[in-house]
Amino acid sequence: MDDTLPHWLGRHAKERGDAPAIVHAGGTISWKALNERVVRAAHGLAKQGVRRGEVVAAQLPNTPDFIVAYLATAKIGASFCTLHRPYHGAEIEMTLAHSAAKVFVNKPLESADAEDAF
């Protein structure tokens, strides 16, 4: 089946690479740049041992970083579990245990390896 988020993103990156994919307070991100960030983030998640069917938990603000983390998770076939931003301590621990998350992302997946985001 080709109707997946990763396929959709790749198609837009190819067909309209320079067009805006995300417009936010900090500027604009093109489809090509978004796809490149998602590929790097997916690689970082895979290096952390995340595989298809596993869970990535994330506690990020509503920014492009959230979108990148979500799409990177979809790219490797994992599930995305969001944590409410005000959660701390025991609430985070309970959610991580209940979701059986492989990793917890609470910083942008920006580096080439994304290892500093975990």
Side-chain angles (χ1 to χ4, degrees), residues 50-118:
V50 179
R51 304 290 178 253
R52 176 175 296 285
E54 293 184 318
V55 177
V56 173
Q59 186 180 44
L60 296 165
N62 292 330
T63 64
D65 297 317
F66 180 92
I67 296 168
V68 169
Y70 177 74
L71 291 171
T73 300
K75 185 163 189 66
I76 59 176
S79 296
F80 198 66
C81 173
T82 59
L83 282 82
H84 190 48
R85 294 275 298 151
Y87 282 4
H88 291 93
E91 296 162 318
I92 291 174
E93 290 176 23
M94 180 190 70
T95 304
L96 294 178
H98 183 71
S99 70
K102 180 78 173 184
V103 297
F104 174 51
V105 179
N106 62 356
K107 296 178 186 172
L109 298 172
E110 288 299 313
S111 71
D113 293 330
E115 291 178 14
D116 62 343
F118 305 99

Side-chain angles (χ1 to χ4, degrees), residues 2-35:
D2 286 340
D3 192 19
T4 64
L5 283 174
H7 180 262
W8 170 82
L9 176 59
R11 181 170 45 87
H12 281 288
K14 222 182 253 188
E15 293 175 2
R16 50 196 308 215
D18 293 330
I22 300 173
V23 178
H24 59 102
T28 301
I29 301 171
S30 71
W31 286 103
K32 182 179 177 186
L34 176 60
N35 189 55

Side-chain angles (χ1 to χ4, degrees), residues 29-50:
I29 301 171
S30 71
W31 286 103
K32 182 179 177 186
L34 176 60
N35 189 55
E36 290 168 354
R37 287 176 65 177
V38 167
V39 168
R40 284 193 309 271
H43 176 71
L45 290 171
K47 278 187 80 171
Q48 293 297 313
V50 179

